[in-house]
């Protein structure tokens, strides 16, 4: 039986993905972080392709440094120096946070970036030894709770800064349709409800490969 990654081809065909940029397209001297390229290399490649696009585009950029085994580039100044998986995890978060900040700063200073909807989220959380007692009490917090941040263009800044609704990743699509004003149709329950509603724009989803 194949792993979930083996079904990526079928997934992308179903969703009519036009381009996939994977590790084979990265320069051979790209900086690594364990089993994958460092996130700074992924963001560098994403920006390269982004600059070549002249029409409204949906792009996904997937980071990997904050995924087990939590390796960071050798030249990254670690914030935590204790040994153990938990501290490796914290250092990986510090690295990803830094790289996302640099990427967003660069992107939002561009004309296209200012006219984009940017979403930062994750597919799942993690369950480390330090949190396993917690997980017995509350599996939602340790396995399913992930960040969800939407950065909207100025013309959409009338939306609430914080949404207290308990949501799921399946709610993102309907939320975006509401923002784009495409909400005048019935949708299946598995598509999820919108977290808020409203009108129009281009999209980025930040979730070692990316596709668009």
């Amino acid at each position: 039986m194949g792993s979930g990654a083996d079904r990526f081809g079928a997934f992308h065909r179903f969703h009519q993905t036009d381009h996939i940029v994977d590790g084979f397209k990265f320069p051979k001297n790209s900086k690594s972080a364990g089993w994958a390229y460092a996130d700074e290399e992924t963001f560098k490649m994403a920006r390269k392709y982004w600059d070549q696009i002249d029409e409204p585009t949906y792009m996904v950029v997937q980071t990997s440094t904050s995924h087990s085994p939590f390796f960071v580039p050798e030249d990254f100044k670690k914030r935590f120096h204790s040994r153990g998986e938990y501290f490796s995890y914290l250092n990986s978060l510090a690295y990803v946070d830094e790289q996302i900040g640099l990427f967003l700063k660069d992107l939002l200073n561009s004309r296209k970036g200012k006219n984009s909807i940017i979403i930062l989220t994750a597919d799942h959380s993690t369950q480390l030894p330090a949190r396993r007692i917690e997980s017995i009490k509350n599996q939602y917090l340790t396995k399913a709770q992930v960040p969800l941040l939407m950065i909207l263009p100025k013309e959409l800044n009338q939306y609430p800064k914080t949404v207290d609704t308990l949501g799921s990743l399946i709610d993102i699509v309907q939320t975006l349709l509401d923002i784009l004003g495409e909400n005048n149709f019935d949708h299946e329950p598995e598509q999820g409800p919108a977290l808020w509603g409203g009108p129009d724009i281009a999209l980025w989803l930040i979730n070692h490969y990316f596709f668009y």
Side-chain angles (χ1 to χ4, degrees):
M1 181 179 293
S3 68
D6 295 331
R7 296 190 290 272
F8 270 12
F11 173 87
H12 290 300
R13 282 193 296 273
F14 178 81
H15 290 285
Q16 301 180 17
T17 301
D18 295 319
H19 304 279
I20 299 176
V21 181
D22 59 16
F24 294 107
K25 293 185 174 68
F26 280 58
K28 291 183 179 180
N29 62 348
S30 295
K31 189 185 302 182
S32 67
W35 57 274
Y37 289 123
D39 290 343
E40 59 196 271
E41 301 289 354
T42 302
F43 287 134
K44 190 185 303 180
M45 285 289 284
R47 185 59 200 267
K48 172 185 174 182
Y49 280 84
W50 172 250
D51 289 340
Q52 297 172 3
I53 298 169
D54 294 320
E55 56 187 25
T57 300
Y58 169 83
M59 178 182 283
V60 173
V61 182
Q62 178 172 312
T63 65
S64 59
T65 308
S66 58
H67 195 286
S68 175
F70 313 121
F71 290 127
V72 296
E74 292 182 2
D75 60 352
F76 175 66
K77 188 176 181 179
K78 294 181 179 180
R79 316 286 171 82
F80 305 92
H81 300 282
S82 299
R83 294 179 178 275
E85 187 182 35
Y86 182 65
F87 294 100
S88 295
Y89 170 65
L90 293 180
N91 278 315
S92 74
L93 292 184
Y95 171 75
V96 174
D97 184 64
E98 176 183 277
Q99 292 306 315
I100 288 177
L102 293 171
F103 179 65
L104 289 179
K105 182 178 180 179
D106 179 47
L107 188 68
L108 292 172
N109 281 327
S110 68
R111 179 186 58 81
K112 286 190 294 185
K114 291 176 181 177
N115 193 41
S116 298
I117 296 175
I118 303 171
I119 300 175
L120 291 91
T121 190
D123 55 349
H124 62 81
S125 186
T126 190
Q127 187 179 13
L128 296 171
R131 303 180 72 192
R132 279 177 191 148
I133 294 177
E134 267 184 72
S135 71
I136 295 172
K137 299 177 182 177
N138 195 333
Q139 292 194 16
Y140 162 70
L141 287 178
T142 55
K143 293 181 180 179
Q145 187 180 36
V146 297
L148 174 58
L149 173 67
M150 291 187 177
I151 302 174
L152 306 177
K154 284 185 178 179
E155 54 265 44
L156 297 178
N157 63 10
Q158 73 271 23
Y159 287 96
K161 297 191 181 301
T162 302
V163 176
D164 295 325
T165 305
L166 179 63
S168 172
L169 296 181
I170 62 172
D171 304 331
I172 294 175
V173 171
Q174 191 59 37
T175 301
L176 288 173
L177 289 174
D178 270 13
I179 291 173
L180 298 171
E182 300 292 338
N183 53 2
N184 297 318
F185 59 88
D186 295 329
H187 66 283
E188 299 298 323
E190 60 268 23
Q191 290 177 299
L195 296 173
W196 68 65
D200 191 348
I201 295 210
L203 161 78
W204 263 71
L205 174 61
I206 303 196
N207 197 352
H208 185 58
Y209 75 86
F210 58 93
F211 55 89
Y212 59 95

